[in-house]
Amino acid sequence: MASRAGPRAAGTDGSDYQHRERVASHYQMSVSLKSEIRKLNIVHLLIWVLMAAQVTVSQLNLVSHKVVASPYHIIPTVFSFLALPRNNISYLVISMISAGLFCVAPLIYGSMEMFPVAQQLYRHGKAYRFIFGFSAVSVMYLVIVIAVQVHGWQIYYSKKLLDQWFTTTQEKKKK
């Protein structure tokens, strides 16, 4: 028995740790991936709050409705939050698919729609709208790059977690 202040148990030199049980690696990986996904879910919620603020501003007719994105990317975050506590594979799959449909696809569409303005900025050096002293197109492309990275990491970590859960399920079925 280990004690903090007393002498070491008789007959041991400290090398008897190899017989002790260890947590299986796929469980350790599952916990670390869940932690990463939770952090990304919080970032998703922050992005959603920004989108909700943008929609609110457009509803007050301060900004045109054409420049406002739809805040549907809350759906993958909700399913991801629901999947993590009980290792629910189906919710995680729905989260991954909806992240591609409601998060990444609109970003790709938006970047393609902004391309003519970016091309005009590149060819002629003319910018008509500015955000914080920078051309609006440059700022928006920077936001798109950051958002694609966040959504891509979410999908990547979800896929790795799904693989870990499938490994666990397969091992249980073999026994």
Side-chain angles (χ1 to χ4, degrees), residues 111-123 126-129 135-138 141:
S111 65
M112 288 174 27
E113 195 168 286
M114 287 191 314
F115 184 74
V117 179
Q119 192 175 21
Q120 180 182 5
L121 176 66
Y122 176 72
R123 284 189 178 165
K126 294 181 182 177
Y128 297 105
R129 295 179 68 192
S135 69
V137 173
S138 301
Y141 270 112

Side-chain angles (χ1 to χ4, degrees), residues 125-143:
K126 294 181 182 177
Y128 297 105
R129 295 179 68 192
F130 294 92
I131 299 174
F132 303 118
F134 299 101
S135 69
V137 173
S138 301
V139 173
M140 292 307 292
Y141 270 112
L142 178 65
V143 169

Side-chain angles (χ1 to χ4, degrees), residues 79-97:
F79 278 109
S80 180
F81 273 128
L82 292 174
L84 295 180
R86 295 194 173 207
N87 297 352
N88 193 324
I89 292 173
S90 59
Y91 281 166
L92 192 62
V93 169
I94 291 171
S95 171
M96 290 170 57
I97 292 170

Side-chain angles (χ1 to χ4, degrees), residues 1-2 8-22:
M1 187 119 157
R8 185 175 297 211
T12 181
D13 60 355
S15 63
D16 60 347
Y17 64 90
Q18 292 178 349
H19 74 282
R20 296 182 186 157
E21 290 185 26
R22 290 183 212 99

